[in-house]
C-alpha cells in the first residue's frame, strides 16, 4: 500500500535491555548506552561488534517499561557473545510478518506515537488483523545525520 508495507522478517537474534519507569526518551538514551557498551566489548569475549540498524524500542500500551534492542550482525547470529552486564540479554525474535510505516525527520516519542496511531487507523480501515497492544519504533540513523533520516513504526500481523 502507498502508506505502509507488509514485510516478512526471518528469525533473528537481537541484543536487548529493558529500562523500567522512565520516559521513553530517557529509556532510549539509557538503553542505547547499555547496548553500545556491549558492542564496544562489554561481553564475555571482550569483542567489538559492528553497530547495526535499526535500533528498536518496544512500546506497550499503558506501560513504562521499554525494551531497547540492536540487531546482532549476521556474522554473530549463530553465536553472539554473551553480555557481561546483567541488564543486557540476547533474545531470539521468531519469524514474523510486520506492518511497517516509514517517515523522515528527527523522531521523538510523540512523533513515533503519532505515526503508530496513523498506521493502526489505516490497518483497521483496511480490515487488517494486527497486535494492537504494542508496537516497535525503529531508528536507522546516527543522531549526527541531519537530512534524509529514516524511521519506522512496526505492528505485528496476526
Amino acid at each position: 500500500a502507498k502508506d505502509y508495507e507488509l514485510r516478512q522478517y526471518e528469525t533473528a537474534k537481537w541484543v536487548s535491555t529493558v529500562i523500567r519507569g522512565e520516559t521513553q526518551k530517557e529509556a532510549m538514551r539509557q538503553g542505547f548506552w547499555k547496548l553500545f557498551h556491549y558492542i564496544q566489548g562489554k561481553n564475555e569475549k571482550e569483542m567489538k561488534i559492528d553497530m547495526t540498524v535499526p535500533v528498536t524500542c518496544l512500546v506497550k500500551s499503558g506501560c513504562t517499561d521499554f525494551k531497547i534492542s540492536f540487531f546482532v550482525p549476521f556474522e554473530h547470529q549463530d553465536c553472539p557473545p554473551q553480555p557481561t552486564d546483567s541488564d543486557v540479554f540476547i533474545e531470539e525474535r521468531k519469524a514474523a510478518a510486520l506492518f511497517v510505516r516509514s517517515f523522515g525527520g528527527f523522531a521523538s516519542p510523540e512523533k513515533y506515537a503519532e505515526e503508530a496511531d496513523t498506521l493502526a487507523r489505516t490497518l483497521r480501515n483496511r480490515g487488517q488483523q494486527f497486535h494492537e497492544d504494542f508496537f516497535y519504533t525503529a531508528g536507522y540513523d546516527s543522531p549526527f545525520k541531519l537530512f534524509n533520516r529514516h524511521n519506522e513504526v512496526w505492528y505485528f500481523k496476526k
Side-chain angles (χ1 to χ4, degrees):
K2 68 177 177 29
D3 42 6
Y4 72 89
E5 58 187 294
L6 177 59
R7 290 187 198 150
Q8 180 65 41
Y9 280 92
E10 297 308 313
T11 298
K13 291 188 177 90
W14 294 70
V15 58
S16 301
T17 188
V18 175
I19 306 295
R20 293 181 170 81
E22 296 289 350
T23 64
Q24 185 179 346
K25 185 172 185 171
E26 179 59 19
M28 283 292 295
R29 189 189 71 73
Q30 288 182 24
F32 178 90
W33 285 110
K34 282 184 175 291
L35 299 174
F36 187 76
H37 290 130
Y38 166 81
I39 66 171
Q40 287 297 300
K42 194 171 181 185
N43 57 66
E44 66 182 12
K45 295 180 182 170
E46 297 183 355
M47 176 190 293
K48 280 196 174 210
I49 299 167
D50 289 338
M51 176 80 198
T52 59
V53 292
V55 175
T56 65
C57 178
L58 173 61
V59 180
K60 296 183 206 169
S61 300
C63 184
T64 58
D65 293 356
F66 299 97
K67 182 171 65 175
I68 319 304
S69 306
F70 288 1
F71 179 76
V72 173
F74 292 109
E75 63 267 25
H76 299 292
Q77 278 288 313
D78 290 340
C79 191
Q82 288 304 304
T84 53
D85 180 337
S86 61
D87 292 339
V88 177
F89 56 95
I90 303 295
E91 66 170 321
E92 184 170 271
R93 293 189 193 166
K94 300 295 177 207
L98 274 62
F99 292 108
V100 178
R101 179 175 170 81
S102 299
F103 61 98
F106 280 90
S108 64
E110 296 76 22
K111 180 66 172 164
Y112 277 124
E114 178 185 311
E115 294 291 339
D117 286 345
T118 299
L119 177 57
R121 195 167 41 253
T122 301
L123 294 173
R124 278 189 221 101
N125 289 342
R126 300 216 174 123
Q128 296 286 2
Q129 298 291 306
F130 63 101
H131 294 275
E132 296 191 40
D133 53 333
F134 69 94
F135 65 90
Y136 277 90
T137 68
Y140 287 82
D141 300 303
S142 143
F144 306 108
K145 183 174 182 182
L146 301 180
F147 303 104
N148 300 315
R149 297 180 61 80
H150 184 81
N151 313 287
E152 297 173 348
V153 288
W154 300 347
Y155 276 110
F156 281 63
K157 182 178 169 123
K158 279 190 177 175

